[in-house]
Amino acid sequence: AQTVTQSQPEMSVQEAETVTLSCTYDTSENNYYLFWYKQPPSRQMILVIRQEAYKQQNATENRFSVNFQKAAKSFSLKISDSQLGDTAMYFCAFMKPMRLTGANSKLTFGKGITLSVRP
Amino acid sequence: EPEVTQTPSHQVTQMGQEVILRCVPISNHLYFYWYRQILGQKVEFLVSFYNNEISEKSEIFDDQFSVERPDGSNFTLKIRSTKLEDSAMYFCASSRGQGKQGYTFGSGTRLTVV
């Protein structure tokens, strides 16, 4: 079974600064997908960024980027130029590959980290 | 941008009562999911659904739970006899493909069992 660990329960960052959120995972799979989801106070889960394990290049989406270290099974999220609207809970999630046509695959989430952006 | 719509946003029910949580997935999505989040805890997988049948379910998804796609647009989660520990946020999600692009989640239904 896969596990996802987010060991930092909460972090705080000054507006416009950069912050890195940590995530490690455990799997015996060689190919898989990793995600960061944001959950603001509205409670909706919003996809921030995704990474395919077979791609060596780290994913980037505007101010959000990841540091994917496959050998270390580490998948951290870097938020640059932090904004007040980034205040939210952030979840790291793992998805194993689907081998059967029509089979959809579940997400395994970490416990999440609460990020506060200070004005 | 297309959305996954969940109703109601908040439901209070008495222990032992049946509840139905409703979801309208994105119209061209083929794969559907239910997750739950007990307050302050991590998001947990309940069930996935494709081609009118359950693809996978977790150990949480016992005989008290069922899912249905009754009319080609709605996707429902029924809890037959609610327990206090069923109190949680329930999220519906959908994906066009098998999920590797990530899902689109709804805004959730907060279920409170009293």
Side-chain angles (χ1 to χ4, degrees), chain B residues 59-78:
Chain B
E59 61 276 7
I60 302 169
F61 195 88
D62 61 21
D63 292 343
Q64 294 297 316
F65 291 88
S66 63
V67 289
E68 194 177 34
R69 188 157 162 80
D71 57 12
S73 63
N74 290 283
F75 179 51
T76 61
L77 174 69
K78 181 191 292 186

Side-chain angles (χ1 to χ4, degrees), chain A residues 9-64:
Chain A
E10 53 186 79
M11 290 189 73
S12 179
V13 64
Q14 193 75 33
E15 193 176 8
E17 298 290 304
T18 295
V19 64
T20 298
L21 311 182
S22 301
C23 173
T24 59
Y25 57 92
D26 189 27
T27 184
S28 58
E29 303 283 347
N30 188 49
N31 192 24
Y32 43 86
Y33 308 93
L34 296 164
F35 304 85
W36 279 96
Y37 277 88
K38 170 185 178 181
Q39 187 180 42
S42 66
R43 302 304 298 270
Q44 184 159 11
M45 299 287 287
I46 302 166
L47 177 63
V48 175
I49 200 166
R50 63 182 288 275
Q51 175 81 39
E52 299 179 44
Y54 66 87
K55 289 187 176 179
Q56 291 189 335
Q57 186 173 5
N58 288 323
T60 299
E61 289 286 344
N62 301 313
R63 297 184 294 108
F64 299 88

Side-chain angles (χ1 to χ4, degrees), chain B residues 13-25:
Chain B
T13 188
Q14 288 206 323
M15 190 168 54
Q17 294 296 304
E18 175 183 287
V19 295
I20 297 176
L21 309 183
R22 302 181 190 280
C23 170
V24 179

Side-chain angles (χ1 to χ4, degrees), chain A residues 22-119:
Chain A
S22 301
C23 173
T24 59
Y25 57 92
D26 189 27
T27 184
S28 58
E29 303 283 347
N30 188 49
N31 192 24
Y32 43 86
Y33 308 93
L34 296 164
F35 304 85
W36 279 96
Y37 277 88
K38 170 185 178 181
Q39 187 180 42
S42 66
R43 302 304 298 270
Q44 184 159 11
M45 299 287 287
I46 302 166
L47 177 63
V48 175
I49 200 166
R50 63 182 288 275
Q51 175 81 39
E52 299 179 44
Y54 66 87
K55 289 187 176 179
Q56 291 189 335
Q57 186 173 5
N58 288 323
T60 299
E61 289 286 344
N62 301 313
R63 297 184 294 108
F64 299 88
S65 61
V66 299
N67 183 4
F68 172 50
Q69 301 288 330
K70 190 173 184 180
K73 296 181 181 175
S74 170
F75 182 60
S76 60
L77 175 69
K78 185 171 82 170
I79 306 174
S80 304
D81 186 25
S82 297
Q83 299 176 358
L84 296 178
D86 295 333
T87 292
M89 196 142 185
Y90 287 81
F91 291 93
C92 178
F94 173 98
M95 178 186 287
K96 69 179 182 182
M98 289 67 67
R99 293 189 171 87
L100 299 175
T101 301
N104 42 355
S105 191
K106 66 181 182 185
L107 285 168
T108 299
F109 285 89
K111 287 186 176 181
I113 176 171
T114 300
L115 176 67
S116 300
V117 180
R118 305 186 304 274

Side-chain angles (χ1 to χ4, degrees), chain B residues 11-17 82-84 87 111-114:
Chain B
Q11 180 151 1
V12 182
T13 188
Q14 288 206 323
M15 190 168 54
Q17 294 296 304
T82 50
K83 302 187 281 286
L84 294 176
S87 294
L111 177 66
T112 303
V113 182
V114 297

